[in-house]
Amino acid sequence: MKNRSKSHPYHYFEEKNLIQRLIDIGVPLGMFFFYFQFYNFGQFTPKEMVKTTGLLAVALLSLTLLIGPACRFFSALDVLKAHRKFWGVLSFFIALIHGILVYIFYANYNLAKLFNPASPKYYGLLAGLASLAILLTVTLTSNQKALNALNPKTWKMIQSTAFIALIFAVLHFYLVESVNGVLVIKRVVGQITFGFASFVIVFRILTSLFPRNR
């Protein structure tokens, strides 16, 4: 089994040194404190934490998905590939926490209230749920057992759906923050996050049009 995993074309599990592990944890923590200080302004309230977890999940997933195409143009960024799995999986758990907080503080434990077709946020919530479901599938297959069990093309296809999850996450962001069909993001940090995620989507699409170096 060990030899099989090493020969797998998408093998990316490796032993990390201390610096790599610190980067794994340090970047998400740094992003959290950034949002906590400059979006929440240090307020630890249910409403602000719902916003913070949502923004952090989108930003971390965007960063994770930016690494691959960016490395095609800047080989010096190849060192960041070692962190994609950890950051990608972590973005799912942060998004899950975001969903749980919405369920608790906005829906008051009432799913019928949360997914009410009459609500102006209904389609935005469905988009968020779709994103979370896709990320769950990606996360469940982000392990050595799944890597060895699945056909390489199938495994790669599943992992690639994280890009679709980001599209749904941005759509969720747009629909939830829109007022009468107009996107309203009052805080600059929120605008930056939405712009960054949108940029990553466009960049990945454009990058896919360029032939890969053989």
Side-chain angles (χ1 to χ4, degrees), residues 84-97:
R84 288 187 297 181
K85 174 179 175 288
F86 184 87
W87 292 343
V89 171
L90 184 59
S91 69
F92 162 72
F93 285 106
I94 296 172
L96 180 61
I97 292 172

Side-chain angles (χ1 to χ4, degrees), residues 16-51:
K16 295 181 180 179
N17 58 39
L18 178 60
I19 298 299
Q20 289 175 315
R21 294 185 183 280
L22 289 175
I23 293 174
D24 272 349
I25 299 295
V27 169
L29 278 179
M31 294 172 70
F32 172 79
F33 283 112
F34 172 78
Y35 283 111
F36 185 70
Q37 291 297 326
F38 297 102
Y39 187 87
N40 288 11
F41 303 111
Q43 299 179 42
F44 197 85
T45 64
K47 179 180 179 180
E48 296 300 337
M49 294 314 297
V50 167
K51 295 284 188 178

